[in-house]
Amino acid sequence: MEVELDLSQLKELFSNDKKKFFFKLLNSIIVVSFRNISIYSHSPFITNSKEITKDILNILKKHGCFAFLRGSIFYDLTTIVEKVVRSFILNYSFKFGVFKNENSKSFQLSNEILKLYLEYPKKMLFNCLVYSKANIKLTSIINLFLYYSTSSSSSLSLTKLYGSIYYGSFYSIALMLSSKYIDDYVCNKLDYYLNKYFNKYNYDNKPTRIIIRSLVKSIIVSPFYVIDSIYPSQVISSLVLNESIPTLVDPISIAISIFKNQGFKYFYKGLLPQFTLELLSSYFNSKKY
């Protein structure tokens, strides 16, 4: 029996693959751009929501649209490395009997802490890159950390390098862990009530779910991101000015200081960019091409 090669089907398949690749690439570019904008909008370099638009336009005018994609390759590559290392550690934890069930609460908590810990250097460097407003290269920021680690001796001090990068990790991990578990709890409750509501009226609307969930998530995480942005912003300023790494302040003291000096609204100055990011991420993740 002969099998005929249908060239039209091959052409259609190739065309669909190209479209799928194009849309995924476009989605990635949009999401990464808004991720950078969201990170910057929570930083102390922005005092209110009105300044965000002004700063974005200035950066676009000075550096072009690719300014918001800076460091994306570094971010993706280090994410792959982090996942490989985390998988290796967790696999050995099962092998040596540290964990027996991946659905256990202890495993899930340990996995999340390990993830945040391994991500922290990437997050620290990437946030410093975003805060620099496209004026400093990633290699320059890394060199600044290396310079700080050799400032008191002629050789590289790994202990000092580790300390300079991981110095604020404890508070940051605690903040992000709290943010995640509060977000998971609230969003799970939200999903329950949305399901109850839609089932009652025999009606379901996916866009409505995405909008409500994205808004609630943004409202929850924005204050945590504002507090978490304080230390990296001080680090990039100190490194550029060739000053010592700033003294670490606990998140509660930072939150109280922000509330007293800037008011409650300051915690939500980056709400709109964060909401847009959550909305786009949720939409693209649910989209089938």
Side-chain angles (χ1 to χ4, degrees):
M1 182 178 68
E2 292 184 1
V3 179
E4 294 185 1
L5 181 63
D6 192 337
L7 295 177
S8 62
Q9 288 182 353
L10 286 176
K11 186 177 180 181
E12 183 180 355
L13 179 63
F14 180 67
S15 178
N16 289 336
D17 285 343
K18 284 198 299 183
K19 287 179 181 178
K20 186 176 181 180
F21 173 78
F22 173 76
F23 280 114
K24 280 191 173 183
L25 180 62
L26 181 62
N27 296 346
S28 179
I29 290 172
I30 293 172
V31 170
V32 168
S33 298
F34 273 96
R35 180 185 66 196
N36 291 2
I37 293 170
S38 176
I39 290 171
Y40 182 70
S41 68
H42 289 102
S43 73
F45 302 111
I46 294 289
T47 56
N48 56 66
S49 56
K50 293 180 181 178
E51 286 187 7
I52 296 172
T53 305
K54 183 180 177 182
D55 265 26
I56 289 171
L57 292 175
N58 286 337
I59 292 171
L60 283 172
K61 186 177 179 180
K62 187 175 181 180
H63 301 282
C65 59
F66 289 105
F68 296 111
L69 297 175
R70 294 172 72 240
S72 57
I73 296 176
F74 162 80
Y75 190 94
D76 291 338
L77 288 175
T78 50
T79 298
I80 293 171
V81 173
E82 175 265 318
K83 287 181 178 179
V84 170
V85 173
R86 181 157 52 96
S87 177
F88 178 81
I89 294 172
L90 292 175
N91 285 337
Y92 266 86
S93 70
F94 277 104
K95 185 176 180 181
F96 290 104
V98 179
F99 301 107
K100 294 181 179 179
N101 185 2
E102 63 180 17
N103 295 320
S104 65
K105 290 183 178 179
S106 59
F107 172 78
Q108 291 175 2
L109 177 61
S110 300
N111 181 37
E112 192 61 35
I113 293 174
L114 180 61
K115 178 185 175 185
L116 291 170
Y117 182 81
L118 293 174
E119 282 181 345
Y120 187 79
K122 170 190 71 178
K123 174 188 165 188
M124 187 69 175
L125 292 171
F126 192 76
N127 284 6
C128 288
L129 182 69
V130 173
Y131 296 158
S132 69
K133 295 188 188 180
N135 292 319
I136 303 177
K137 295 180 180 179
L138 177 63
T139 51
S140 300
I141 294 173
I142 294 174
N143 286 335
L144 286 169
F145 276 102
L146 291 173
Y147 172 76
Y148 172 75
S149 303
T150 58
S151 57
S152 59
S153 61
S154 57
S155 60
L156 174 65
S157 170
L158 294 178
T159 303
K160 200 169 184 182
L161 177 61
Y162 175 87
S164 65
I165 294 178
Y166 269 100
Y167 183 57
S169 61
F170 177 78
Y171 287 144
S172 179
I173 290 172
L175 274 172
M176 293 302 98
L177 200 62
S178 302
S179 171
K180 174 182 168 47
Y181 277 97
I182 293 172
D183 173 49
D184 286 349
Y185 176 80
V186 173
C187 286
N188 285 336
K189 288 290 184 182
L190 177 65
D191 288 338
Y192 169 78
Y193 286 111
L194 284 175
N195 288 332
K196 193 174 180 181
Y197 174 83
F198 286 129
N199 290 335
K200 181 180 179 180
Y201 293 99
N202 195 24
Y203 168 80
D204 196 358
N205 190 300
K206 198 171 186 179
T208 303
R209 284 178 178 272
I210 291 175
I211 291 170
I212 295 175
R213 211 177 194 281
S214 298
L215 179 59
V216 171
K217 183 179 176 68
S218 301
I219 291 171
I220 293 170
V221 302
S222 286
F224 288 95
Y225 289 164
V226 168
I227 297 170
D228 192 48
S229 72
I230 300 298
Y231 181 68
S233 64
Q234 291 175 341
V235 167
I236 189 64
S237 298
S238 299
L239 291 173
V240 170
L241 296 173
N242 196 23
E243 297 175 349
S244 60
I245 297 294
T247 304
L248 197 61
V249 181
D250 67 274
I252 295 175
S253 299
I254 291 173
I256 293 171
S257 177
I258 290 173
F259 182 75
K260 284 182 177 179
N261 297 318
Q262 279 90 19
F264 184 73
K265 287 184 178 180
Y266 188 87
F267 290 106
Y268 289 100
K269 57 181 178 167
L271 179 61
L272 183 58
Q274 184 65 34
F275 172 60
T276 306
L277 173 63
E278 296 291 348
L279 198 62
L280 290 170
S281 297
S282 298
Y283 173 75
F284 290 142
N285 286 336
S286 66
K287 194 77 174 173
K288 292 182 179 179
Y289 301 107

